[in-house]
Amino acid sequence: MKQSGKNLYYLPLTAIGFVRKRCRDAVYMWCKGGIRDMQNPLYVYDRLRQANRGGDNYLSDDRREQLMGDVESWDRSSSYPDVIVHCKFPMTRFREEEPTIDNFKFLVEHGKAVLAKVAFYKIRQKQSKESLRYIPYLKCTEKGFKRPVKPVIEEGRIESAEYLEIAVTDIDMELIYKYYEWDGMDIEWMMSARYGYLPQLLIDEIIRLYKMKTELKGDPARTSEYSYIKTLLNSIYGMMSQRVIYSPVIFDQGEWKIVEINREEEYAKAIESAYLNYAWSVWVTAWGRYRLHEGIWAVMKQDPDAFVYADTDSVKTRIIKPDFSEINKKRIADAKASGAFATGLDGIVHY
């Protein structure tokens, strides 16, 4: 309350209340009309939800049911805040495009953010040690999708299928091209938006929190403050990924019930006061997955047998010390250019 200058009446019900207001103010100062203009129609929001997924995790096929004691973990620092600050996102409303493979490639080559529903025929994982299963089975069973035909599923991921449908971003498709091959592919619908960086004032807020977190880490007298700032930093992605509309669940006369809503009306009201674009959350996790795979590729390049497991923002290996020098060089250059770095209590500059 001292920090905000407010009294108890204005105390947020959750820890992210203050950072939510700061982010809202940052976006509105950037361009209140701009954020409203990029809000998509309801049907596009539904398509974005079909494409949205979380972080990836993989276990090497050679390491199943093994107890290993010589495993090291290599982690990305603040993975989601990093991609929010340094990667490009859809910065306009999505528009319909001609759904062809050639047009998909054309749009990607010309720097567009692409959202599409793709159908694969006789798709299978490439037969190489460096190939991973990237397509989650559950994302192929979204409402309105045809069910996968004769899918072979390992750990929830598609190894092969006679037929499947999935909604993807251009980033997802790059990984699918790397890990799979197929006999045929159709695009049912496709949309594009202009790529751009997020509002600078929003980026500045993320960098401010990252610096505070870094400077507090390891101080035994300020552990609660560190945890609080870390929560605020992580909550920015959470705000982006929050559902725009939802059906309330109530407990009535001893039963849980879902309250039916008018989706069109509720969505129209919600985007009227929106200060974030739901599409950003789809691309945050897509970029996060891509960065994770870059780490996996670095390990595989040195020694495919060294890879053990990967999860969201970390790669587990055995025996070798992976060479991440090229990756780190790029990420450090990004951080220096944006100012997203700070010196910790250990005297080390963290990016």
Side-chain angles (χ1 to χ4, degrees), residues 185-216:
M185 181 177 92
D186 290 331
I187 300 178
E188 182 174 322
W189 51 255
M190 185 167 68
M191 316 188 78
S192 76
R194 178 178 59 80
Y195 261 134
Y197 292 105
L198 296 184
Q200 185 60 48
L201 292 173
L202 179 61
I203 289 174
D204 291 344
E205 177 64 13
I206 295 167
I207 293 174
R208 183 185 74 88
L209 291 171
Y210 174 74
K211 288 185 173 182
M212 290 176 65
K213 185 196 80 164
T214 302
E215 292 163 357
L216 289 168

Side-chain angles (χ1 to χ4, degrees), residues 31-72:
C31 184
K32 189 172 183 178
I35 192 66
R36 287 182 177 173
D37 288 344
M38 73 173 70
Q39 298 301 317
N40 292 287
L42 178 59
Y43 83 94
V44 179
Y45 166 72
D46 289 336
R47 290 178 174 183
L48 287 164
R49 283 191 50 77
Q50 290 172 346
N52 204 356
R53 50 185 283 203
D56 270 350
N57 58 77
Y58 299 94
L59 174 65
S60 169
D61 289 340
D62 298 332
R63 306 303 176 197
R64 292 183 184 180
E65 300 181 7
Q66 290 187 23
L67 181 63
M68 292 176 287
D70 56 348
V71 175
E72 296 285 345

Side-chain angles (χ1 to χ4, degrees), residues 145-159:
F145 284 22
K146 294 178 182 176
R147 302 286 290 190
V149 177
K150 296 182 180 179
V152 177
I153 306 166
E154 289 288 345
E155 297 173 349
R157 304 297 177 93
I158 295 289
E159 185 173 293

Side-chain angles (χ1 to χ4, degrees), residues 30 34 38 89-93 193-199 277 280:
W30 165 72
M38 73 173 70
F89 292 82
M91 292 300 288
T92 59
R93 188 176 297 180
R194 178 178 59 80
Y195 261 134
Y197 292 105
L198 296 184
N277 182 355
W280 296 347

Side-chain angles (χ1 to χ4, degrees), residues 59-158:
L59 174 65
S60 169
D61 289 340
D62 298 332
R63 306 303 176 197
R64 292 183 184 180
E65 300 181 7
Q66 290 187 23
L67 181 63
M68 292 176 287
D70 56 348
V71 175
E72 296 285 345
S73 182
W74 311 90
D75 302 342
R76 270 176 47 77
S77 174
S78 298
S79 183
Y80 284 1
D82 165 55
V83 299
I84 292 172
V85 170
H86 297 120
C87 292
K88 290 185 176 182
F89 292 82
M91 292 300 288
T92 59
R93 188 176 297 180
F94 277 90
R95 51 173 286 180
E96 297 282 356
E97 298 284 358
E98 182 185 3
T100 66
I101 297 171
D102 286 343
N103 196 31
F104 187 102
K105 293 177 180 178
F106 175 84
L107 292 168
V108 172
E109 289 170 358
H110 286 76
K112 297 293 186 179
V114 181
L115 179 70
K117 181 181 178 183
V118 184
F120 293 101
Y121 300 86
K122 293 187 181 298
I123 187 172
R124 62 265 180 197
Q125 184 184 357
K126 290 181 180 178
Q127 295 301 306
S128 70
K129 208 171 185 67
E130 292 81 10
S131 181
L132 300 174
R133 290 179 288 272
Y134 181 74
I135 299 175
Y137 171 74
L138 284 179
K139 296 306 293 185
C140 303
T141 61
E142 291 283 340
K143 184 178 180 181
F145 284 22
K146 294 178 182 176
R147 302 286 290 190
V149 177
K150 296 182 180 179
V152 177
I153 306 166
E154 289 288 345
E155 297 173 349
R157 304 297 177 93
I158 295 289

Side-chain angles (χ1 to χ4, degrees), residues 48 51-56 58 76 79-80 82-84 87-90 113-115 134 167-176 195 237 240-241 278-294 297 312:
L48 287 164
N52 204 356
R53 50 185 283 203
D56 270 350
Y58 299 94
R76 270 176 47 77
S79 183
Y80 284 1
D82 165 55
V83 299
I84 292 172
C87 292
K88 290 185 176 182
F89 292 82
V114 181
L115 179 70
Y134 181 74
V168 296
T169 67
D170 52 285
I171 303 166
D172 294 314
M173 274 304 299
E174 184 173 342
L175 295 171
I176 290 172
Y195 261 134
Y237 161 69
M240 291 181 179
S241 64
Y278 181 79
W280 296 347
S281 72
V282 181
W283 262 256
V284 167
T285 53
W287 281 122
R289 291 191 298 274
Y290 192 86
R291 291 287 183 254
L292 176 68
H293 284 263
E294 287 181 325
W297 299 335
T312 309

